[in-house]
């Protein structure tokens, strides 16, 4: 009755599998990344504690050692479940379930969420709007797409794993420069690059939880900034949940449920759907993931609903009980939330404010630099100087509170 946990990146302290599965009657095994464990400043858990065995793999992202180790463990232990919360582990976990004949999401249901071309194909077939797109096998296809659809065009990996954010080309001159200096396909047989037409408007996201094939808790938020401006936008970047009486919120919920139905996800999972809201009041699907979103999304869902979506989805997969109020009906938010992000900017850090903000409604606060460090411009969309989450009664209160946090932090930030 053993559970194998795949943990690609992030803090193990903030992902307390032992607490989440304290009532599970069996052993827990862990395979994690040596590099990301070091980045988090954490040690590999000692055997016999939370985990019966724990392994840190060098070069986790590309090493076949992960699969080899998992299969070795399956010969030694009675592994009944493989769980994974992060996008880089979803396919690995599905492949291992396929090989070992275990319950949970398999490759045929994970691919529509991981492959953006497959996502768009299924969404289109279900009548949902998506941006024009094409997967690329050569430069000529990119040029032809730009001629057909005009500029801007958006480039990115079709598996959605690029950490540098989308590449947006606004003109034929930028396209020529890109082709001459940066255009690169990973190989002639498995192209990973795709191009999409630019969709104007705001980017919204719907985050929630599916249990027994039904959405039991979900709510939308709206980014108050241009996602691709991370390298130049040093001002406060706000992400706010929509109010209960906002008609757009309920349209987004229905749109996300329609997309989940179209993709045919697993029985139990968290999800993160990204949807453009255009100036013409149209909803256009950008992408959807069968996992908790990144960049403090877990904390946002916890603030809004009082549940951890990753914990709840894992417990549901293992058949462990969830709170009755969570599964009886579609849960509505208890309160609203907002996120503040400040991106890194060039300069040497002389001082940052000491301690946490002096506000009781701050639910998460993290600074990513220390005095003496030197910053460059943000290199990717999660290259943060600061992130903070607040709780509030409505969007207006969350916005005002985020402004107070930003003012407090910037007053104590000193850059050379």
């Amino acid at each position: 009755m053993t559970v194998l946990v795949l943990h690609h990146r992030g803090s193990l302290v903030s992902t307390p599998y032992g607490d989440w599965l304290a009532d599970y009657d069996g052993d827990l095994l862990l395979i994690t990344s040596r590099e990301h464990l070091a980045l988090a400043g954490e040690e590999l858990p000692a055997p016999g504690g939370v985990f019966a065995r724990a392994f840190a793999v060098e070069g986790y992202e590309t090493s076949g050692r992960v699969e080899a180790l998992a299969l070795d463990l399956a010969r030694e232990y009675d592994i009944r479940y493989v769980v994974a919360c992060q996008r880089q582990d979803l396919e690995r976990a599905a492949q291992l379930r396929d090989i070992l004949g275990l319950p949970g999401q398999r490759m045929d249901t994970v691919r529509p969420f991981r492959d953006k071309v497959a996502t768009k194909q299924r969404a289109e077939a279900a009548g949902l709007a998506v941006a024009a797109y094409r997967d690329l096998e050569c430069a000529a296809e990119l040029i032809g797409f730009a001629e057909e659809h005009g500029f801007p065009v958006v480039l990115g990996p079709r598996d959605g794993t690029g950490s540098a954010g989308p590449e947006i080309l606004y003109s034929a001159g930028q396209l020529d420069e890109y082709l001459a200096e940066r255009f690169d396909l990973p190989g002639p047989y498995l192209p990973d690059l795709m191009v999409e037409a630019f969709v104007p408007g705001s980017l919204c996201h719907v985050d929630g939880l599916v249990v027994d094939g039904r959405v039991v808790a979900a709510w939308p938020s709206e980014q108050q900034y241009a996602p691709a401006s991370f390298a130049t936008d040093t001002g406060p970047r706000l992400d706010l949940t929509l109010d209960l009486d906002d008609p757009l919120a309920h349209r987004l919920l229905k749109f996300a449920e329609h997309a989940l139905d179209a993709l045919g996800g697993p029985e139990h999972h968290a999800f993160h759907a990204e949807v453009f809201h255009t100036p013409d009041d149209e909803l256009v699907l950008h992408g959807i993931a069968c996992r908790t979103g990144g960049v403090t999304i877990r904390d946002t869902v916890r603030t809004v609903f009082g549940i951890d979506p990753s914990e709840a989805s894992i417990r549901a997969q293992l058949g462990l009980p969830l709170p009755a109020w969570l599964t009886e009906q579609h849960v509505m938010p208890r309160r609203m939330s907002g996120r503040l992000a400040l991106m890194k900017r060039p300069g040497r850090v002389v001082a940052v404010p000491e301690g946490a903000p002096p506000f009781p409604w701050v639910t998460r606060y993290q600074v990513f630099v220390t005095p003496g460090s030197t910053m460059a411009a943000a290199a990717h969309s999660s290259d943060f100087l600061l992130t903070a989450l607040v709780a509030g009664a409505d969007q207006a209160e969350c916005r005002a509170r985020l402004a107070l946090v930003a003012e407090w932090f910037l007053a104590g930030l000193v850059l050379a």
Side-chain angles (χ1 to χ4, degrees):
M1 296 289 289
T2 301
V3 176
L4 174 61
V5 177
L6 301 182
H7 185 89
H8 169 254
R9 66 188 304 164
S11 167
L12 286 170
V13 172
S14 63
T15 316
Y17 297 103
D19 294 341
W20 292 355
L21 303 178
D23 55 342
Y24 181 74
D25 185 20
D27 290 327
L28 304 184
L29 306 175
L30 172 70
I31 302 177
T32 188
S33 162
R34 185 177 301 281
E35 293 89 346
H36 284 285
L37 201 62
L39 284 174
E42 297 176 5
E43 299 290 333
L44 185 68
V50 170
F51 298 99
R53 304 273 295 279
F55 303 87
V57 175
E58 194 83 32
Y60 181 102
E61 273 191 57
T62 57
S63 174
R65 175 65 180 151
V66 174
E67 286 79 3
L69 185 54
L71 295 177
D72 284 344
L73 289 170
R75 297 182 185 99
E76 184 176 352
Y77 291 86
D78 180 22
I79 294 178
R80 298 293 181 91
Y81 300 97
V82 178
V83 299
C85 295
Q86 299 160 333
R87 65 183 180 186
Q88 291 88 346
D89 287 325
L90 294 179
E91 286 170 306
R92 269 182 159 154
Q95 288 169 337
L96 288 170
R97 294 185 197 109
D98 281 347
I99 293 169
L100 299 172
L102 300 178
Q105 189 173 28
R106 300 293 187 89
M107 282 301 294
D108 61 339
T109 59
V110 77
R111 281 192 178 120
F113 289 90
R114 294 286 291 128
D115 183 332
K116 292 182 70 176
V117 170
T119 300
K120 292 177 185 294
Q121 288 172 340
R122 292 209 180 187
E124 278 186 304
L128 295 169
V130 301
Y133 64 93
R134 182 178 300 165
D135 57 324
L136 299 174
E137 296 186 8
C138 63
E141 290 186 334
L142 174 55
I143 295 170
F145 184 90
E147 289 178 347
E148 179 180 356
H149 297 282
F151 292 95
V153 296
V154 184
L155 293 162
R158 62 183 288 172
D159 66 0
T161 59
S163 63
E167 178 94 28
I168 303 179
L169 306 178
Y170 292 92
S171 66
Q174 287 188 351
L175 174 58
D176 290 343
E177 178 186 348
Y178 176 82
L179 291 174
E181 299 180 6
R182 301 192 304 284
F183 181 71
D184 183 34
L185 292 172
Y189 304 111
L190 293 172
D192 187 49
L193 190 64
M194 66 177 294
V195 60
E196 301 177 68
F198 182 83
V199 180
S202 63
L203 182 61
C204 303
H205 54 96
V206 184
D207 300 283
L209 179 68
V210 171
V211 176
D212 293 328
R214 181 175 62 87
V215 176
V216 296
W219 199 252
S221 302
E222 184 174 22
Q223 295 180 356
Q224 312 289 305
Y225 58 89
S229 64
F230 56 83
T232 56
D233 181 7
T234 58
R237 294 159 69 87
L238 305 185
D239 191 339
L240 298 165
T241 51
L242 300 180
D243 286 332
L244 291 171
D245 59 355
D246 189 332
L248 177 60
H250 300 279
R251 288 176 58 201
L252 286 164
L253 286 174
K254 291 181 180 179
F255 189 93
E257 290 198 34
H258 192 174
L260 288 169
D261 290 340
L263 268 63
E267 191 176 19
H268 315 292
H269 65 96
F271 72 90
H272 171 72
E274 296 183 344
V275 183
F276 291 109
H277 181 217
T278 73
D280 296 330
D281 197 29
E282 184 182 12
L283 299 182
V284 178
L285 182 67
H286 179 50
I288 188 166
C290 55
R291 57 169 173 81
T292 305
V295 194
T296 71
I297 295 295
R298 262 181 66 201
D299 301 278
T300 297
V301 176
R302 272 198 296 241
T303 300
V304 171
F305 290 108
I307 58 168
D308 187 309
S310 296
E311 175 186 5
S313 65
I314 288 177
R315 289 185 62 83
Q317 290 170 48
L318 271 59
L320 297 176
L322 297 174
W325 58 264
L326 180 61
T327 55
E328 288 175 354
Q329 58 184 355
H330 187 111
V331 181
M332 297 300 289
R334 298 178 175 185
R335 53 184 179 170
M336 294 296 122
S337 179
R339 188 193 79 210
L340 161 71
L342 295 175
M343 307 306 296
K344 289 181 179 176
R345 69 286 311 274
R348 182 172 58 84
V349 181
V350 177
V352 296
E354 293 186 7
F359 309 115
W361 29 258
V362 174
T363 59
R364 179 186 172 95
Y365 172 78
Q366 189 170 8
V367 180
F368 296 86
V369 297
T370 56
S373 60
T374 299
M375 293 187 292
H380 50 80
S381 58
S382 57
D383 205 357
F384 299 123
L385 167 60
L386 160 80
T387 60
L389 262 71
V390 304
D394 54 25
Q395 188 178 101
E397 185 171 62
C398 290
R399 186 190 297 273
R401 288 177 170 180
L402 289 172
L404 288 175
V405 175
E407 181 182 5
W408 173 85
F409 178 82
L410 292 172
L413 175 68
V414 181
L415 300 179

